[in-house]
């Protein structure tokens, strides 16, 4: 499989350890999608022990407001989603992504209907089965009172995509990226395909495939996010604008602790807006283990 195409597929189901305290002089990197994900290597070994997602806190000290950007990965270990459910209880409101009609309730019935009708949801669920991971919509509790839908409706999204020509842009960028990677040589492509085939013959195919996908996802993340669209796209900018309108509404209501739970492709632009338009500063970055890469057991929280 062409690596640029694989990268796009990986991005479709992307996008707490101890807090990292920061001095005023230190900076939290939030400019790229890859700043919100990381692979943690095993000590003394070439393999990784975990694939992790970031929770980055932005603070307005004058207004005593905190907004956390919570990077979403749409398939993960079950304990990862259980940890998110515990984390979300600490917020006055949690703004979440879902292209759906206003007032949509996410429960087991709606999830099954979505999986049956949505190619993307079916793909994400199928990838989760292959990697022995769980599907986000099935384990994050969207029924709690502090969850607030903050996204476009299907009609709004379709209109924005058509107006901006996002699909044509994605196809063009995939071709450009494919040509660039091809020009770099065939060796990497052959090695990638060889590793993919090799997972089928390992003693634990699901774990081997999960390790390979985690490595590819991190290595190709920024290229992939460029392909699916950045600033000025309906996929990113228009959906972010919808979420930021809801953020302003919740702040006006008096909420002081807010989470924005969105895919990693969205977070650099959110970070830029929080700094520029809301006068907030990134002050803390925490990490959650999304995929345990040491075994088939669920993710374990850092001690």
């Amino acid at each position: 499989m062409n690596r640029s195409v694989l990268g796009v597929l990986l991005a479709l189901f992307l996008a707490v350890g101890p807090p990292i305290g920061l001095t005023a002089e230190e900076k939290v990197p939030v400019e790229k999608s890859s700043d919100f994900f990381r692979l943690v290597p095993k000590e003394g070994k070439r393999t990784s022990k975990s694939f992790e997602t970031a929770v980055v806190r932005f603070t307005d000290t004058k207004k005593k407001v905190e907004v956390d950007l919570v990077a979403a990965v749409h398939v993960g270990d079950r304990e990862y989603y259980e940890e998110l459910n515990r984390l979300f209880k600490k917020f006055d409101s949690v703004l979440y992504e879902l292209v759906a009609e206003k007032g949509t309730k996410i429960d087991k019935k709606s999830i099954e209907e979505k999986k049956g009708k949505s190619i993307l949801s079916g793909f994400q669920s199928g990838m989760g089965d292959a990697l022995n991971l769980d599907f986000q919509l099935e384990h994050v509790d969207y029924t709690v009172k502090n969850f607030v839908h903050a996204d476009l409706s299907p009609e709004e999204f379709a209109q924005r995509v058509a107006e901006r020509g996002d699909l044509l842009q994605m196809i063009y960028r995939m071709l450009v990226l494919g040509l660039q990677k091809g020009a770099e040589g065939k060796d990497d492509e052959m090695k990638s395909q060889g590793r993919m085939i090799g997972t089928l013959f390992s003693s634990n195919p699901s774990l081997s495939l999960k390790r390979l996908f985690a490595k590819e996802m991190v290595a190709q993340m920024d290229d992939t996010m460029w392909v699916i669209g950045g600033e000025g796209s309906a996929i990113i900018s228009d959906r972010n604008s919808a979420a930021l309108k809801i953020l302003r509404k919740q702040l006006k209501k008096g909420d002081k602790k807010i989470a924005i739970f969105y895919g990693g492709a969205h977070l650099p632009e959110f970070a830029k807006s929080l700094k520029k338009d809301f006068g907030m500063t990134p002050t803390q970055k925490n990490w959650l283990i999304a995929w345990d890469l040491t075994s088939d057991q669920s993710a374990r929280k850092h001690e």
Side-chain angles (χ1 to χ4, degrees):
M1 181 183 291
N2 184 283
R3 294 189 72 189
S4 62
V5 176
L6 174 61
V8 174
L9 295 179
L10 291 173
L12 291 175
F13 65 91
L14 284 174
V16 175
I20 302 173
L22 296 155
T23 67
E25 291 77 24
E26 290 179 304
K27 294 182 179 180
V28 181
V30 291
E31 285 77 25
K32 301 179 295 183
S33 295
S34 54
D35 291 331
F36 295 89
F37 300 93
R38 71 179 184 182
L39 278 177
V40 178
K42 285 185 180 179
E43 292 184 12
K45 295 186 178 182
R46 296 176 63 184
T47 56
S48 300
K49 68 178 182 179
S50 58
F51 168 64
E52 303 184 355
T53 64
V55 181
V56 179
R57 175 161 298 165
F58 285 74
T59 306
D60 183 334
T61 53
K62 292 183 180 179
K63 297 181 179 179
K64 297 182 179 180
V65 169
E66 295 176 346
V67 176
D68 285 16
L69 297 181
V70 183
V73 59
H74 302 314
V75 292
D77 290 318
R78 186 167 300 189
E79 278 196 17
Y80 167 62
Y81 295 121
E82 291 173 353
E83 183 65 21
L84 282 174
N85 287 331
R86 288 190 288 270
L87 175 67
F88 290 147
K89 291 178 181 179
K90 301 177 182 179
F91 296 95
D92 298 321
S93 54
V94 177
L95 314 188
Y96 68 90
E97 65 172 324
L98 184 70
V99 176
E101 297 294 346
K102 302 294 187 291
T104 296
K105 300 294 183 181
I106 302 180
D107 50 28
K108 289 185 178 180
K109 182 179 179 181
S110 64
I111 291 168
E112 289 303 316
E113 290 176 352
K114 185 174 179 62
K115 286 169 66 176
K117 296 178 180 178
S118 170
I119 295 175
L120 177 55
S121 294
F123 169 77
Q124 292 169 345
S125 182
M127 288 298 294
D129 291 340
L131 299 173
N132 199 22
L133 295 168
D134 290 287
F135 187 34
Q136 174 183 314
L137 288 178
E138 295 176 339
H139 294 285
V140 173
D141 186 2
Y142 288 86
T143 64
V144 291
K145 292 182 179 179
N146 66 336
F147 263 52
V148 180
H149 180 238
D151 209 330
L152 297 173
S153 70
E155 292 77 13
E156 290 171 331
F157 180 62
Q159 181 180 351
R160 305 287 174 79
V161 168
E163 289 172 351
R164 291 186 179 272
D166 279 1
L167 294 179
L168 290 176
Q169 285 291 326
M170 283 181 62
I171 293 171
Y172 170 74
R173 291 180 180 187
M174 283 179 65
L175 291 172
V176 170
L177 187 60
L179 290 171
Q180 289 176 345
K181 297 299 182 184
E184 293 170 3
K186 294 288 185 181
D187 288 347
D188 289 343
E189 181 77 18
M190 294 297 291
K191 288 178 182 178
S192 178
Q193 292 178 0
R195 286 192 291 266
M196 181 73 75
I197 295 172
T199 63
L200 303 175
F201 297 97
S202 70
S203 59
N204 192 330
S206 292
L207 180 59
S208 295
L209 189 61
K210 186 161 67 169
R211 288 171 175 165
L212 176 61
F213 268 58
K215 184 177 180 180
E216 291 284 341
M217 189 155 48
V218 171
Q220 299 185 56
M221 187 167 295
D222 292 323
D223 282 344
T224 300
M225 298 314 172
W226 175 74
V227 169
I228 67 173
E231 291 189 30
S233 71
I235 296 171
I236 303 298
S237 292
D238 288 340
R239 294 177 65 198
N240 280 24
S241 294
L244 291 174
K245 286 181 181 178
I246 301 299
L247 174 61
R248 290 185 175 90
K249 179 180 178 182
Q250 297 303 122
L251 290 171
K252 191 173 182 180
K253 285 176 58 178
D255 288 357
K256 297 295 184 180
K257 290 178 65 66
I258 300 173
I260 299 179
F261 182 42
Y262 252 76
H266 296 262
L267 301 192
E269 190 170 322
F270 276 133
K272 182 178 178 180
S273 295
L274 290 176
K275 289 189 287 186
K276 180 180 178 181
D277 302 325
F278 292 81
M280 307 186 79
T281 303
T283 54
Q284 184 175 292
K285 179 183 281 190
N286 299 337
W287 292 96
L288 291 167
I289 299 175
W291 299 2
D292 175 10
L293 302 176
T294 62
S295 70
D296 275 340
Q297 297 177 3
S298 295
R300 294 185 295 274
K301 187 174 72 171
H302 286 315
E303 298 180 352

